[in-house]
Amino acid sequence: MCTHIPALEERGFMVTLDKHIWQIAPVDGDHGRSTQIISSMLEMAHSLHLPVVVEGVETNEQANVLRQMGARDAQGFLYYRPMPAKDFEALLDGGNNN
């Protein structure tokens, strides 16, 4: 298995944590296990030098908690709503339409 990790990295693979994974609501008796699972997943990906993108971040509170767990990159409604490709290109172009 370990020999496959560099090959995946060379091919541009990354780990994504979908909001359905990380938005696990703590249950009575959970004792922080949900948080530990997410934190461990982030640690494992980082130790393998695989980039991680956390998807579905909608609030500052979520962003802060995930950042404290070691998440470096995220996407979601907190940052931008879905938009047409033309608007996205304009955003990347700094708002210029040339």
Side-chain angles (χ1 to χ4, degrees):
M1 165 98 170
C2 289
T3 58
H4 298 290
I5 300 297
L8 291 173
E9 187 177 5
E10 286 175 18
R11 291 188 176 116
F13 280 83
M14 71 172 57
V15 176
T16 60
L17 294 182
D18 184 86
K19 72 177 181 177
H20 300 292
I21 294 172
W22 65 263
Q23 287 182 347
I24 300 170
V27 183
D28 288 340
D30 180 68
H31 304 291
R33 288 186 204 132
S34 299
T35 301
Q36 186 60 46
I37 290 168
I38 303 308
S39 181
S40 295
M41 292 171 73
L42 289 165
E43 281 182 40
M44 181 179 62
H46 290 147
S47 71
L48 295 170
H49 306 288
L50 293 172
V52 179
V53 176
V54 180
E55 299 177 348
V57 179
E58 298 176 0
T59 67
N60 282 319
E61 181 182 1
Q62 291 171 338
N64 290 335
V65 168
L66 290 162
R67 194 175 301 114
Q68 289 172 359
M69 287 186 201
R72 297 179 190 148
D73 298 306
Q75 70 174 36
F77 288 166
L78 175 63
Y79 307 105
Y80 277 98
R81 298 280 180 175
M83 64 182 75
K86 184 177 180 179
D87 294 347
F88 181 67
E89 290 168 359
L91 178 69
L92 291 178
D93 200 24
N96 299 329
N97 290 325
N98 10 346

